[in-house]
Amino acid sequence: MTVSGWDDAGFRDQVQGVLDEFVDEQAARLAPLGDDAARLLAEVREVIAGGKRFRAAFCWWGHRAIAAPSDERALLRACAALELLHASALVHDDLMDASDTRRGRPATHRGFATAHRRSRWRGDPAQYGAAAAILLGDLLLSWSDELLRRCGLPLAQVAPALEVFDLCRSEVVAGQFLDVSVQARGEADVDTAMTVLRYKSAKYSIERPIHVGAALAGAGPETLATLSAFGLPLGEAFQLRDDLLGVFGDPATTGKPAGDDLVEGKRTVLVALALDAAPPADAELLDHSLGSPLEADEVAGLRRIIADSGAQAQVEAVIEQLAEKAVTALRRGDFDTEATRVLEGLASAATQRVV
């Protein structure tokens, strides 16, 4: 991600520094629990390392769109809280999807299961790994609230942002449950897939982070609604790009196996469109293959079905339309000029990425 005139790499480093310091604080508190807590914290450090930091960036510039920060360090801590929420969602999502890897390393539940197996402990390694992932994700979720609440800004200033954050967490949890329910039922209509996309990812990825930052700057309901006209369609475009990468992305870049979303049985908008448009035999093969172990040639075959159906091109077109709609709405708002320019750059980075 490169945004002209803004040191995005420097911002990511600052966010990482805030997260590391926060975990150091928590490590001191949990030190009496001994080696087991230390193992949990070591995994936390791995999970929160790196990443694009889109959520933190949109929070920062959501604030800057309204007002200059009174305390940049405190605002940075508030932005970093969104990254803890994201980390929590990733850990839980990997467990629910039975994913093997995340960013090129074992997913949390897989790593703890392997540690159990190597140590020859009692019980089921997989169950131990699942328990560890649930607890670690819960811990990160709790910490996200704590970091925002204790960011350093006056509580009266933080309180409206906490209300947005409460809504954000409810939306993403309910969206996750809708996602697993849709997969369990084997449904894949476009409207349902879009609802999953909106609540599981689009809102918490961009719209709500912008709202948190703006609320910290004192934005009222009308301003938040204007920012939604930018953040929600952009969040949808962001997740549609993610869906394309989940099927067509290069494993060397994404850190996930080829066609991982197909193996996990994701009923995405991309898949729903392909099932609607593909010839009956191809649609049946795609439908029955979702959620099954797949060899490389089978993944390649399903990719061809999706591409030949026109679904890939259609999703690309929708991404472009949503991004254009978002930027148009942003330009109509009465926001800080620099913030508007940087948010436009972030919009491009979020929707045109390859990872």
Side-chain angles (χ1 to χ4, degrees):
M1 176 177 70
T2 300
V3 181
S4 177
W6 180 52
D7 183 8
D8 52 291
F11 179 78
R12 291 197 299 269
D13 289 344
Q14 290 181 69
V15 171
Q16 188 64 55
V18 165
L19 292 173
D20 291 341
E21 289 175 8
F22 182 76
V23 175
D24 287 343
E25 294 174 20
Q26 300 296 337
R29 293 180 180 181
L30 298 177
L33 278 71
D35 290 344
D36 288 312
R39 279 190 287 271
L40 196 66
L41 287 162
E43 178 66 13
V44 165
R45 294 186 191 280
E46 292 286 350
V47 169
I48 65 171
K52 295 173 288 293
R53 306 304 188 200
F54 278 129
R55 291 155 189 84
F58 279 110
C59 181
W60 178 273
W61 288 101
H63 188 292
R64 283 290 309 275
I66 309 303
S70 58
D71 184 336
E72 290 193 353
R73 182 65 177 175
L75 178 57
L76 194 65
R77 284 171 60 87
C79 294
L82 275 300
E83 296 299 331
L84 290 178
L85 172 63
H86 180 48
S88 168
L90 293 182
V91 170
H92 283 159
D93 195 49
D94 285 343
L95 173 63
M96 288 183 286
D97 292 339
S99 297
D100 293 325
T101 60
R102 168 68 63 178
R103 293 175 180 165
R105 63 180 296 271
T108 294
H109 61 288
R110 299 295 192 211
F112 277 102
T114 297
H116 180 289
R117 195 174 295 109
R118 287 175 177 170
S119 298
R120 299 181 181 277
W121 290 341
R122 295 182 180 181
D124 180 6
Q127 181 61 33
Y128 177 78
I134 291 169
L135 293 169
L136 189 141
D138 288 351
L139 188 63
L140 289 165
L141 184 62
S142 173
W143 283 353
S144 68
D145 179 80
E146 181 180 345
L147 183 54
L148 177 56
R149 187 164 27 86
R150 296 200 297 111
C151 68
L153 294 172
L155 185 56
Q157 187 175 348
V158 176
L162 284 169
E163 291 185 12
V164 174
F165 202 51
D166 288 342
L167 177 59
C168 176
R169 286 176 295 166
S170 295
E171 288 170 341
V172 72
V173 170
Q176 285 275 23
F177 183 68
L178 177 59
D179 186 28
V180 297
S181 297
V182 166
Q183 291 185 56
R185 289 192 294 267
E187 296 177 352
D189 64 274
V190 175
D191 287 344
T192 300
M194 277 299 298
T195 301
V196 171
L197 176 149
R198 186 171 297 119
Y199 284 94
K200 179 185 173 182
S201 178
K203 283 180 168 289
Y204 106 94
S205 293
I206 296 178
E207 182 192 23
R208 297 309 184 198
I210 293 175
H211 282 177
V212 169
L216 287 169
E222 289 187 7
T223 301
L224 295 181
T226 301
L227 288 169
S228 285
F230 166 70
L232 185 55
L234 184 60
E236 292 171 348
F238 172 84
Q239 183 55 42
L240 287 172
R241 174 62 62 200
D242 208 53
D243 292 346
L244 284 173
L245 291 171
V247 173
F248 296 101
D250 180 358
T253 305
T254 64
K256 303 281 276 185
D260 199 46
D261 280 5
L262 301 173
V263 176
E264 292 175 1
K266 296 286 185 69
R267 299 277 170 170
T268 63
V269 172
L270 176 67
V271 168
L273 290 170
L275 289 173
D276 282 347
D282 286 348
E284 183 177 2
L285 175 60
L286 174 60
D287 187 49
H288 289 159
S289 298
L290 290 172
S292 304
L294 299 171
E295 299 296 332
D297 60 333
E298 294 174 309
V299 169
L302 296 181
R303 283 173 164 175
R304 282 194 297 273
I305 289 173
I306 294 171
D308 291 347
S309 73
Q312 182 182 10
Q314 189 172 352
V315 170
E316 288 283 5
V318 172
I319 290 172
E320 183 176 350
Q321 292 164 7
L322 288 170
E324 182 178 346
K325 177 181 178 181
V327 170
T328 299
L330 178 67
R331 290 173 179 170
R332 288 174 179 164
D334 185 22
F335 301 121
D336 174 83
T337 301
E338 182 187 9
T340 297
R341 177 180 58 79
V342 175
L343 284 169
E344 287 186 27
L346 286 170
S348 178
T351 56
Q352 296 178 16
R353 71 195 196 282
V354 296
V355 62

